[in-house]
Structures are given as structure tokens and as C-alpha cells.
């Protein structure tokens, strides 16, 4: 029964345990904070923590939702009674007291937005309105710059606007400007990646599509069933290659694309193209940049085997290497001069090995320079390309 002594005792025990856990966690946090040592160290931690949390909300640019969340942290950082963030047209966020002054802020910020200079507004400096005539706040309004252009402002309200608040507000405005530059850089990087994917698609279009259609046409009269099969594979390949969603895919999806690609190429080259695969099942779900493996296989066919007399062999391996997935694509084709390869990857050779350069650049942008392509080659010795990517990528969805 719910009101039995046994039930009551059990309930009290559970509540006591929950309280003990909460108190224990709280004491751990307090001890952790106290372990910072001096008051100066704790103040430094508080400042950096507030700045870090505010920065997360500005990564998408200067927008109302992010500005509203960031303003709460920045007001704590400045220790002012109210803090507002504006763009050039309106107040994006207001946190703290005296919100009745919000309608007048853009009038006060007009000079700042025009001249790019910090302005201090004394208590008597506000425009008179029918709603309020007197208040207890001075304001410091500092410009947020993007290069040479003013894109907004920060306003800090306090009973007195001393030199310390003026300097601190200007520093916060500069810090916000730096966050916006990082957001713009991230946006530019995304646009660059999208442009590079479009460049890869453009590369696939003229060369591969023309040859594939010719190969399909050659079977229409002699082997209609084979021609129909190739048409289906060609449609599936182009549907994947020209899809409009997502910058990332999985190793499994990319391998399916490669299988279709090679089936179409073997229709053209016959037994001249031989392929071996060694794939570890545990890496199939690894997320990789879209169209990052297929161009490497296409490079092996076009630049390695097509110029070689007789049959050629391509080996595709995907191995589990701890925290990383390692994919190698090796061919026994004509190879290339290492100096020429360095020139290609540096972008000094137009129209040659575009796929290699494009994939290498995108891998470095996404994962860092240490994850660029590793290529071993020499004239007459074939080529081996290695791609190494983290298996866990919480920020990227296929």
C-alpha cells in the first residue's frame, strides 16, 4: 500500500539519496571553483567562461536569437545594469533593467553607427518622450566593426559611465566583431566547399557522361539487356553525383557510387580494368566529405590505367585504424613525377588532376592540414593514395 511504513521508509531513503547526490555535485562544483586559488584566478575563470558561452551564440552572425543569448553573458561580463546589442537598423537584444529606454536607443546610437566612435550618453542626454522624462542610467555605446564598416553597436547602461566601463564596452564591441569575422570565415569556408563540389560535378559531366553514353550506345544493338543495365547504373550514378543535399556522405555510399562508376568504365575498357576491394565492415558508416573517394578512383582510371598498355589493376582498401578510418586507392598505372604532383596539389597546374587537388583541399579544410591526401607515386611505378579521417565526427551528418 502507498501509505505503508515500508513504502514511506523507502520513499524517504530515495529522497535522501537524491539530496545527497545534488549536495555532493554542488560541493564538487564549489570545490572545483575554489581550487582555482586566488580571487584574481576566479575572476579570470568567470570572465573567460562568460566570453566562451557568449561566443557560441554569435557563431551564426549578428541575429536576434544569438544576440539575445549572448547579451546575458556579456552583461555579467561588464557588470552593468543593462546591455543592448543592435545592428544598423534595430535593437536586436536588451538584457537587464531600464527596458523602457529601448525605443530611444537607435536615436542615441545613430552617431556611433555613422562615425564609428564610442559615445557616452549622460543621464540627461536621452531624448524626451511622453513615457519617461527621468531615469538613473548613463550609457556607453560602442561600434561593432566588420573591417572598415560599422555593422552594429553595443550599449552598456549603468548609474555612472566611468573610464573603466567605457574601455570595457569598447573591448566587448571589438570582441563581438571578432566573433562575427569567425562566423563569416566559417560561412565562406562552407561556400568554398560547395563551390568545390560543384567543380567536381562539372568535371564529371563532360568527360565521363560522354564516354558512358557512347559505351551504352555500343551495346544497344548487340546486347540490349546489357544496355538497359548500364542505363540504370548510369542513372543511379548521376543521381548520386548531382544530388543537392548534404556536404557529407558515408564510406558505404561512396563505395556504392564507385561500384556504379567502375561498372560503366568496364563497359568501355572491358578486361583492361581489374578491381580488388578489401573493406573492413566497421568503417562503412564513417562520415566523409561528399565525392571524396570517387574522384580518386576516376583519377586512377583516367591518369593511371587509360594511358597504360594492357590490363591495369586498382586496389581499394578501407581499414579500421583505431580512432581513424584509412582508405587507400592503389593502381599499377603509369604513375607521375612527384614534382609535378606537388605543383598539381599547390594549384599551379590548371585542368590537370582537378579531382586530386579538390579532394586534398577539402580534406584539409574539414579536418586540418594533417589529414590531406598522402600520395606515393613515380613515373612507371603506379600511384597509391591514402585518405585518413576521424571515425567520430559529431559536427557532420551524412
Amino acid at each position: 500500500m502507498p501509505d505503508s511504513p515500508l513504502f514511506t521508509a523507502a520513499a524517504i531513503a530515495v529522497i535522501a539519496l537524491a539530496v545527497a547526490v545534488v549536495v555532493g555535485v554542488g560541493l564538487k562544483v564549489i570545490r572545483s571553483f575554489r581550487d582555482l586559488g586566488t580571487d584574481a584566478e576566479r575572476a579570470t575563470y568567470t570572465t573567460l567562461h562568460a566570453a566562451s558561452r557568449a561566443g557560441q551564440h554569435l557563431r551564426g552572425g549578428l541575429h536576434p536569437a544569438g544576440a539575445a543569448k549572448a547579451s546575458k553573458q556579456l552583461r555579467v561580463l561588464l557588470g552593468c545594469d543593462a546591455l543592448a546589442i543592435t545592428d544598423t537598423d534595430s535593437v536586436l537584444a536588451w538584457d537587464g533593467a531600464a527596458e523602457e529606454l529601448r525605443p530611444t536607443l537607435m536615436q542615441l546610437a545613430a552617431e556611433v553607427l555613422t562615425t564609428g566612435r564610442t559615445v557616452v550618453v549622460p543621464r540627461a542626454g536621452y531624448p524626451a518622450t511622453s513615457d519617461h522624462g527621468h531615469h538613473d542610467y548613463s550609457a556607453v555605446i560602442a561600434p561593432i566593426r566588420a573591417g572598415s564598416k560599422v555593422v552594429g553597436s553595443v550599449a552598456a547602461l549603468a548609474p555612472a559611465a566611468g573610464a573603466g566601463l567605457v574601455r570595457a564596452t569598447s573591448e566587448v564591441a571589438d570582441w563581438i566583431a571578432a566573433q562575427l569575422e569567425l562566423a563569416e570565415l566559417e560561412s565562406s569556408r562552407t561556400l568554398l566547399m560547395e563551390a568545390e563540389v560543384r567543380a567536381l560535378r562539372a568535371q564529371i559531366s563532360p568527360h565521363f557522361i560522354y564516354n558512358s553514353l557512347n559505351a551504352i550506345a555500343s551495346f544497344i544493338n548487340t546486347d540490349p539487356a546489357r544496355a538497359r543495365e548500364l542505363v540504370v547504373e548510369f542513372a543511379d550514378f548521376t543521381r548520386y553525383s548531382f544530388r543537392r543535399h548534404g556536404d557529407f556522405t558515408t564510406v558505404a555510399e561512396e563505395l556504392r557510387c564507385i561500384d556504379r562508376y567502375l561498372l560503366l568504365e568496364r563497359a568501355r575498357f572491358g578486361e583492361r580494368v581489374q578491381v580488388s576491394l578489401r573493406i573492413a565492415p566497421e568503417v562503412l558508416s564513417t562520415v566523409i566529405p561528399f565525392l571524396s573517394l570517387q574522384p580518386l578512383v576516376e583519377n586512377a582510371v583516367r591518369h593511371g590505367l587509360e594511358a597504360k598498355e594492357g590490363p591495369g589493376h586498382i586496389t581499394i582498401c578501407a581499414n579500421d585504424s583505431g580512432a581513424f578510418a584509412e582508405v587507400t586507392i592503389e593502381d599499377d598505372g603509369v604513375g607521375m613525377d612527384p614534382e609535378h604532383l606537388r605543383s598539381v596539389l599547390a594549384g599551379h597546374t590548371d585542368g590537370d588532376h582537378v579531382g586530386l587537388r579538390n579532394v586534398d583541399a577539402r580534406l584539409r579544410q574539414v579536418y586540418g592540414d594533417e589529414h590531406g591526401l598522402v600520395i606515393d607515386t613515380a613515373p612507371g611505378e603506379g600511384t597509391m593514395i591514402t585518405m585518413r579521417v576521424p571515425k567520430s565526427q559529431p559536427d557532420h551528418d551524412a
Side-chain angles (χ1 to χ4, degrees), residues 340 343-344 346-354 357:
H340 180 61
S343 178
V344 166
H348 299 153
T349 307
D350 293 333
D352 191 12
H353 298 277
V354 174
R357 182 171 69 249

Side-chain angles (χ1 to χ4, degrees), residues 1-172:
M1 295 292 293
D3 55 351
S4 68
L6 182 59
F7 179 85
T8 303
I12 292 173
V14 170
I15 294 171
L17 178 60
V19 171
V21 170
V22 171
V23 171
V25 171
L27 290 174
K28 183 176 180 181
V29 171
I30 292 171
R31 282 197 300 270
S32 176
F33 186 69
R34 287 176 177 171
D35 286 345
L36 289 169
T38 67
D39 290 342
E41 288 173 337
R42 286 194 288 272
T44 300
Y45 168 81
T46 301
T47 300
L48 292 175
H49 182 65
S52 174
R53 292 188 64 185
Q56 295 173 6
H57 302 308
L58 294 171
R59 288 176 184 168
L62 200 58
H63 304 297
K69 294 177 181 178
S71 63
K72 298 180 183 299
Q73 303 298 326
L74 297 177
R75 184 169 71 84
V76 172
L77 197 62
L78 288 177
C80 55
D81 292 72
L83 184 133
I85 300 174
T86 82
D87 58 14
T88 56
D89 298 316
S90 61
V91 179
L92 300 177
W94 186 292
D95 187 72
E99 192 158 354
E100 70 275 5
L101 300 175
R102 181 171 182 158
T104 66
L105 183 57
M106 292 309 294
Q107 298 178 54
L108 298 172
E111 181 181 346
V112 176
L113 297 171
T114 301
T115 65
R117 293 194 297 268
T118 298
V119 168
V120 177
V121 182
R123 296 183 185 184
Y126 288 80
T129 71
S130 58
D131 298 327
H132 57 84
H134 302 285
H135 54 82
D136 298 323
Y137 300 101
S138 298
V140 179
I141 308 175
I144 301 171
R145 296 182 182 86
S148 60
K149 184 179 179 182
V150 177
V151 296
S153 67
V154 176
L157 277 66
L165 183 60
V166 173
R167 287 196 297 270
T169 304
S170 295
E171 290 295 331
V172 165

